[in-house]
Amino acid sequence: MTDDHHPGAGAAKAQAVKALAETFLADLRDWTTIPAISADPAHRTDVTRSADALALRLDRDGWPRIRRWDLRGVPSVYAEWPADPGAPTLLLYTHHDVPAPAALADWRFPPFEPTVREGQLHGLGVRGGRGRTAALRLGVRAHLAATGRRAPEVGLRLLADGAGLPSAASLYELLGEYPAELAADLVLCGAAEPVRAQAAPLLSTALGARPLPALPPLTARPGPGADERVDLASLHGHAEALATLVRTAGARAPGLTDRGSAA
């Protein structure tokens, strides 16, 4: 993966992803042990633990501004990484909660005991919001490592919804409550269907932001059991694509409105 303006940039991003991947995989495995089932009141504390775990990881990644938003007792995580003046702002939407696991008797490995087998990670949420969030984090860090920058080339705002499943209904309330923080020029929905089908048009319409195409899908090879699983190679590809997007989105397109960054 190279580009016309920076030959070899793709190789640098791939190397950065490879160098950082084990750390981010360990993070994802640890995060997957938290049963943050937002639809079950019995797991309300676990959803809070999940939000706090993500906020801690974002802080370790270097995001300079991180907030936990508790709306109706449901914690979402917001993070911001301002860019240089004149750069557009990209909002990354995802979610950190998980659905109640189905067909438990058919799972080879327990859903909250993440297991790596034959290049695949098994665990609830690894191919959904949590896996995508981990890949987004990895992509941002790979972008910085590959370019030697201390801040991304585009302003970044990340929203990890705490009640994103089974729908993006809570996003309406978050947009109404925090319009200034969520303002953006570009928007990328890092959620699987059907949440993406609801959230992507809502975000672009509400914010007047340009929707960006989905990143390469997270894939899994067929196998025995009903486990949710993801190919580690596809997590790496997702991260590389995000690293590329952060760089290319920094080039202002004609007519793009600059919204600046929140203080």
Side-chain angles (χ1 to χ4, degrees):
M1 190 189 305
T2 59
D3 62 78
D4 294 335
H5 302 292
H6 300 277
K13 286 191 286 287
Q15 290 171 2
V17 167
K18 183 177 180 180
L20 296 165
E22 283 302 316
T23 296
F24 282 81
L25 175 60
D27 274 356
L28 177 55
R29 293 181 69 175
D30 185 58
W31 196 20
T32 303
T33 64
I34 303 174
I37 305 170
S38 60
D40 185 347
H43 288 280
R44 184 62 59 86
T45 300
D46 293 316
V47 179
T48 299
R49 288 174 56 214
S50 175
D52 289 344
L54 175 57
L56 182 64
R57 285 158 173 74
L58 290 168
D59 180 65
R60 193 177 65 206
D61 291 347
W63 289 71
R65 184 185 183 197
I66 304 163
R67 299 287 184 270
R68 201 184 84 189
W69 292 341
D70 293 288
L71 211 57
R72 293 183 294 102
V74 178
S76 298
V77 178
Y78 170 81
E80 182 179 340
W81 205 327
D84 297 333
T89 298
L90 167 62
L91 175 66
L92 306 169
Y93 172 78
T94 183
H95 61 88
H96 69 87
D97 59 326
V98 295
L104 273 176
D106 296 328
W107 282 60
R108 294 176 64 202
F109 309 105
F112 299 110
E113 296 180 18
T115 304
V116 175
R117 287 289 187 278
E118 299 177 347
Q120 296 195 114
L121 174 63
H122 298 246
L124 192 62
V126 297
R127 210 167 133 197
R130 285 181 168 181
R132 292 163 195 268
T133 302
L136 293 177
R137 288 179 49 228
L138 176 54
V140 172
R141 290 304 312 176
H143 164 69
L144 297 176
T147 59
R149 295 178 58 90
R150 299 185 64 179
E153 294 187 48
V154 60
L156 293 178
R157 294 174 181 179
L158 182 146
L159 173 61
D161 197 339
L165 289 171
S167 71
S170 67
L171 183 54
Y172 285 93
E173 295 184 72
L174 290 165
L175 285 166
E177 190 74 17
Y178 303 102
E181 291 87 343
L182 296 175
D185 303 295
L186 306 162
V187 62
L188 176 71
C189 185
E193 300 293 349
V195 174
R196 184 179 183 278
Q198 300 179 54
L202 170 61
L203 284 165
S204 60
T205 299
L207 301 175
R210 179 178 303 169
L212 296 176
L215 296 178
L218 296 182
T219 60
R221 297 187 304 280
D227 306 45
E228 181 177 347
R229 57 179 77 94
V230 65
D231 288 318
L232 297 181
S234 77
L235 281 174
H236 299 169
H238 208 76
E240 286 184 46
L242 191 279
T244 298
L245 178 63
V246 170
R247 188 196 61 75
T248 56
R252 178 182 299 279
L256 190 63
T257 301
D258 178 22
R259 297 178 182 275
S261 299

